[in-house]
Amino acid sequence: MTDPDEPESLESSAAQLTAWLMALVRNRQYGDLAQLRRVTAGSSARYRAGWLAADQEKREVYEQVAFLFAVYHRGVRIPTPGYGSFGVAARRIGPPTARGPEDPGATRLVDRIVSGRRIPWRHLHHGVARLRSCEQQPPSWTRLVVDLGQWNDRKARVADRWAVDFHEPQVLRRTVRQKGSST
C-alpha cells in the first residue's frame, strides 16, 4: 500500500478526481454538477469527490476543488482538464489588452491568495469565476488538488510558486520555452 502523504499517491488520486469530474461533464450528469456547486449543503456528489482522496485528511481539498470545477464547467459541454498552476492560470485573467500582472484586479486577487496561511477558498472561487468569464482555461485541476494538498507544507512553498508563476516576465517565459524545446 502506498503512503497517502507521498506526492505520487496524491497526484494519482488527484488525477482520479479530475477524470471523474470530466466524466460528469462528458456524460451530462448535470444534477451531480449542480450538487457540487452547492456551497452550504453536503451531497452525494460532494462526498464521492472526498472519497477519492488517498488521505482522508485532505477530503476538504477534493470536495472544494470539485466545487471549483463545477463552477467553471456550469453549462459547458466539453470538459477541460486545465493546465498550469493557479499562478499560470491567473496570468490569463483580464481583458485581452492587459492580462495577468498588467491587470490590477488579477494582481490584487493573486496577492490575496498567496498571502494567507490558510487555503483562500473564497478567493480561489473568485479566480476560477474570473477565468470562466474571460473565457480562459482554468488551472490544471489535478495540479490544483496537489498544490492545495501541500498548501501548509513549508518545503512545497505552493503560494510562493504561484506568485512566481504569476509575475514571471513574458520575455523570460519565452526564453525558457525556446531553450526547453531545443534540447
Side-chain angles (χ1 to χ4, degrees), residues 10 13-22 24 33 36-37 45-46 49-50 58-73 80-81 86 119 121 124-125 128 138-149 162:
L10 183 58
S13 62
Q16 288 177 339
L17 175 69
T18 301
W20 176 68
L21 291 168
M22 290 185 54
L24 291 178
L33 290 164
L36 289 171
R37 284 191 300 273
R46 175 169 273 191
K58 301 209 185 322
R59 276 184 77 88
E60 181 186 16
V61 168
Y62 284 68
E63 292 172 359
Q64 292 292 333
V65 170
F67 165 75
L68 296 172
F69 178 94
V71 165
Y72 184 86
H73 285 87
T80 178
F86 189 87
I119 298 174
W121 293 117
L124 289 169
H125 177 194
V128 167
S140 163
W141 302 109
T142 300
R143 180 148 180 209
L144 188 60
V145 170
V146 172
D147 284 352
L148 294 174
W162 286 7

Side-chain angles (χ1 to χ4, degrees), residues 146-175:
V146 172
D147 284 352
L148 294 174
Q150 297 174 338
W151 187 260
N152 293 314
D153 181 346
R154 291 181 185 205
K155 291 179 185 174
R157 300 176 50 126
V158 173
D160 187 52
R161 269 191 296 116
W162 286 7
V164 169
D165 289 346
F166 178 76
H167 290 287
E168 183 179 33
Q170 279 296 103
V171 174
L172 179 61
R173 195 173 204 82
R174 281 190 210 115
T175 305

